[in-house]
Amino acid sequence: MKHLFFSAAVLFSTCIFAQSSEEDIPDSMRIGPDHFDLYGALDLFKQSGDLSQFEQKLNDAANYVNDLDLNNDGIVDYVRVEEHADGDVHAITIQDPVNENESQDVAVIEVEKTGIASADVQIVGDPELYGDNYVVEPSETDSVSGEGKFRMENKNMLFMNAWGWPCVRTIFAPDHELFVSPWHFNNLPADFHAHSPASTVVHAMRNQQLYHKPAYQFVRENRLVHARDLSLANRVTSNTVQEATRTMKNKVGDNISGRVTGRKENMSGQASGRIRKLGKAGKTNAKSKAAEKAGNVIKPGGVNPGIHR
């Protein structure tokens, strides 16, 4: 995973740059929005029958969602999936094993069951990679395809009902056991094919063509409060990644991730919603409190420092 974080490459020749100062930042610096596409991840979740299949899809190079290289070894990282739950609230974490001892959360798919046959879904980028409030959710325009029904919620706003998604029904099935990926750094599935990262421009073009469609929209509000609290209680960060981010911020300013986010919003034309600050993240390298047997659920709580499982 040779490239690390923030890219200054232009996403398309016709795009308007967010800020001219970004043009001098090398392509070797990568960050979440350019190299792990949340629109694509949410689309793969929608297509999956369960979380094991979802993890496989995320790591399939043919799907062009994951292009992260956070440990600078020239190979795209394998990302793992880990599920946390508290009653009708689920937080499905996508995590990058940076090395043998550290992992970094990439994004969390937050799911809250709101009725017998209704559920809300959002995917939230980890602030270390995406900055604050980088959220993608199903869009009301998806009603054109008839793939879901709307339900009214706060302030007469419309949200997509994701209950029809196979994976959503699976995680709320009575016999469902919380999913924790068995794979770790240097212990990867035999069918995982290591490959080098694409250029920022190529990766972004693929994502734009495949996944940036009316069915999904970018918003600035993480409105699934209970799922957000659950994900923050189990958040895992990497000292290696934090140091790289800190170094880059010192070079180009304090809001590098916000500038990348702005460029993505301009591309898709889907930026909307109110700004809402996410809570303070948990401590570094937290051990997940994954359930050990069927029926166990995870209660939100403090995060204990530790090494990657």
Side-chain angles (χ1 to χ4, degrees):
M1 307 174 220
K2 176 180 180 181
H3 302 292
L4 182 58
F5 296 131
F6 183 64
S7 166
V10 196
L11 295 182
F12 302 101
S13 60
T14 57
C15 268
I16 299 174
F17 299 129
Q19 294 200 18
S20 59
S21 60
E22 292 183 73
E23 297 176 23
D24 297 327
I25 300 171
D27 185 54
S28 59
M29 291 298 163
R30 310 190 127 210
I31 203 166
D34 285 335
H35 306 290
F36 188 92
D37 191 80
L38 298 192
Y39 293 80
L42 193 59
D43 194 62
L44 295 182
F45 178 71
K46 180 179 180 179
Q47 297 174 26
S48 301
D50 57 35
L51 294 179
S52 176
Q53 186 180 75
F54 175 52
E55 180 175 295
Q56 291 174 350
K57 288 180 179 293
L58 287 174
N59 290 289
D60 186 342
N63 289 326
Y64 303 121
V65 169
N66 175 33
D67 201 46
L68 287 171
D69 180 16
L70 299 186
N71 69 352
N72 198 30
D73 69 353
I75 303 297
V76 171
D77 300 347
Y78 184 91
V79 293
R80 59 194 302 273
V81 172
E82 188 166 293
E83 181 186 11
H84 310 276
D86 183 15
D88 287 338
V89 177
H90 287 245
I92 300 161
T93 300
I94 302 166
Q95 191 177 89
D96 186 328
V98 179
N99 55 47
E100 292 182 354
N101 299 313
E102 296 180 344
S103 290
Q104 171 66 49
D105 286 357
V106 176
V108 179
I109 295 179
E110 300 175 346
V111 187
E112 293 186 5
K113 186 178 180 182
T114 57
I116 296 176
S118 63
D120 274 353
V121 174
Q122 290 185 312
I123 184 169
V124 183
D126 189 86
E128 196 66 48
L129 302 182
Y130 293 81
D132 290 341
N133 306 305
Y134 194 103
V135 184
V136 175
E137 66 181 15
S139 170
E140 65 270 18
T141 56
D142 199 31
S143 62
V144 175
S145 67
E147 293 180 353
K149 296 180 180 179
F150 296 132
R151 59 183 185 78
M152 299 299 292
E153 207 174 75
N154 299 333
K155 300 179 181 179
N156 295 322
M157 296 179 68
L158 293 173
F159 299 110
M160 186 70 187
N161 180 8
W163 184 252
W165 297 11
C167 205
V168 172
R169 294 194 180 193
T170 296
I171 65 175
F172 288 111
D175 59 348
H176 173 68
E177 297 184 20
L178 294 184
F179 178 81
V180 178
S181 174
W183 308 113
H184 299 280
F185 187 84
N186 285 337
N187 179 28
L188 302 178
D191 59 353
F192 174 66
H193 301 292
H195 58 285
S196 300
S199 71
T200 304
V201 173
V202 170
H203 184 69
M205 287 179 64
R206 290 167 175 168
N207 293 154
Q208 187 75 7
Q209 293 167 358
L210 290 172
Y211 302 116
H212 290 238
K213 49 193 178 184
Y216 307 105
Q217 63 183 356
F218 175 89
V219 297
R220 278 294 194 183
E221 183 178 14
N222 184 356
R223 54 185 173 73
L224 303 184
V225 178
H226 300 297
R228 181 199 66 194
D229 292 344
L230 179 61
S231 65
L232 288 176
N234 291 281
R235 184 180 179 229
V236 174
T237 60
S238 160
N239 285 327
T240 301
V241 174
Q242 288 182 328
E243 182 60 33
T245 304
R246 188 178 304 113
T247 300
M248 206 58 215
K249 285 181 179 180
N250 290 337
K251 291 181 179 180
V252 299
D254 291 336
N255 194 28
I256 59 171
S257 55
R259 294 213 292 257
V260 175
T261 300
R263 188 167 68 238
K264 295 287 282 190
E265 292 169 13
N266 289 336
M267 281 178 48
S268 63
Q270 294 174 331
S272 62
R274 298 185 304 276
I275 295 177
R276 177 179 180 179
K277 290 290 183 182
L278 292 178
K280 181 73 174 176
K283 295 181 180 179
T284 301
N285 295 325
K287 283 190 176 181
S288 169
K289 300 178 182 178
E292 297 179 354
K293 61 181 180 178
N296 284 359
V297 295
I298 299 170
K299 300 293 184 182
V303 180
N304 299 318
I307 63 173
H308 174 63
R309 296 160 297 284

